[in-house]
Amino acid sequence: MEKLQPILDRRITRTRQLIYETFISFISEKEFTQISIKDITNGANISRSTFYAHYQDKYDLLDKTIQEKLSELNNSLVETKSNYINYQSNIEISDPYFVTYFEHLAMNHRFYHTMFTKMDSSEFLSKMYEVIRESFYIRVSSMEKEQKLLVPLDILLDYCSSSIIGITKVWMENNMIYSPHYMALQLTRLAILGIYKTMGKMN
């Protein structure tokens, strides 16, 4: 049984990956409401019973796909936390937080591009917003206590999260016209200099 388990685990992983890839392909081609279980099973070349062994329906598949990808994003940000918490501001060196963030998006481009351009999913945006907001909260919480915030914490977190979601949406809509590292550097500069200095409005 112990020898069979890794084989079964690999089969489950392969099957779910096949279902995921087929599902994303269909979302890229037509409306989510028009996609049927038959489309997915035919496209993945699996039986309906195999599909239902993993997911209740296409809505469950969508929910679990979003949860899995955003968990990967969250884990990436948590794993590199020490890098960006210890980062010393430098407009020529990208903040490790933004590097981790944009590299994750680039590695999962097909998923994020589909979510941002093909799906009208407020649930996805809300969940992604929370992942980003929580990561910034952790970062702020790690600051030394004597460092005082110049604006209320909730406004700071909402501003950071909303701006990142917004720039991500445009980046995806334009098929990642800039590289992940270029994006990371530009957001680093915006974060350090602020909007007015970036526009040349302040000395």
Side-chain angles (χ1 to χ4, degrees):
M1 183 63 182
E2 291 181 359
K3 292 182 179 180
L4 287 175
Q5 192 60 44
I7 296 175
L8 291 173
D9 290 343
R10 287 196 295 271
R11 286 178 180 174
I12 290 172
T13 300
R14 283 198 299 269
T15 299
R16 288 180 176 173
Q17 182 64 23
L18 185 58
I19 293 172
Y20 160 75
E21 291 175 354
T22 303
F23 181 52
I24 293 297
S25 293
F26 276 115
I27 295 179
S28 300
E29 297 170 2
K30 57 184 180 180
E31 296 293 327
F32 174 74
T33 54
Q34 298 176 340
I35 300 172
S36 66
I37 300 301
K38 185 177 181 180
D39 289 331
I40 299 171
T41 55
N42 286 347
N45 194 26
I46 60 173
S47 65
R48 290 177 69 89
S49 61
T50 298
F51 176 88
Y52 287 117
H54 297 277
Y55 305 101
Q56 296 177 11
D57 49 35
K58 68 179 183 179
Y59 298 96
D60 183 45
L61 171 56
L62 177 61
D63 288 343
K64 286 180 177 175
T65 298
I66 291 174
Q67 181 179 350
E68 180 181 337
K69 290 301 177 184
L70 293 184
S71 291
E72 289 177 8
L73 171 59
N74 181 67
N75 291 339
S76 295
L77 293 173
V78 169
E79 288 170 3
T80 58
K81 182 176 67 174
S82 61
N83 292 337
Y84 58 77
I85 284 179
N86 296 321
Y87 169 72
Q88 299 297 315
S89 297
N90 186 327
I91 62 171
E92 299 302 331
I93 300 176
S94 299
D95 186 326
Y97 177 94
F98 293 125
V99 173
T100 298
Y101 176 79
F102 284 107
E103 283 184 343
H104 168 81
L105 265 62
M107 289 176 61
N108 298 276
H109 168 257
R110 194 176 187 190
F111 167 76
Y112 286 104
H113 183 268
T114 300
M115 290 297 106
F116 276 104
T117 65
K118 302 296 182 180
M119 292 290 293
D120 182 18
S121 177
S122 58
E123 182 179 358
F124 164 72
L125 291 176
S126 176
K127 288 180 177 179
M128 187 170 183
Y129 182 95
E130 286 305 315
V131 169
I132 296 172
R133 195 178 194 276
E134 177 64 20
S135 67
F136 268 96
Y137 174 75
I138 292 173
R139 187 168 191 172
V140 173
S141 299
S142 69
M143 293 168 51
E144 296 178 5
K145 292 183 178 180
E146 61 269 17
Q147 292 180 273
K148 294 184 179 180
L149 298 178
L150 300 180
V151 297
L153 178 60
D154 59 336
I155 294 178
L156 173 63
L157 296 177
D158 289 336
Y159 176 83
C160 293
S161 305
S162 297
S163 60
I164 290 178
I165 288 285
I167 198 67
T168 298
K169 184 175 188 298
V170 174
W171 190 51
M172 285 295 161
E173 288 173 343
N174 287 298
N175 290 308
M176 301 194 311
I177 188 172
Y178 300 114
S179 72
H181 282 269
Y182 183 84
M183 291 295 294
L185 182 59
Q186 304 319 306
L187 263 67
T188 297
R189 289 172 173 172
L190 277 166
I192 295 173
L193 299 174
I195 296 174
Y196 291 146
K197 280 190 176 181
T198 305
M199 291 191 301
K201 294 294 184 181
M202 295 178 65
N203 294 327

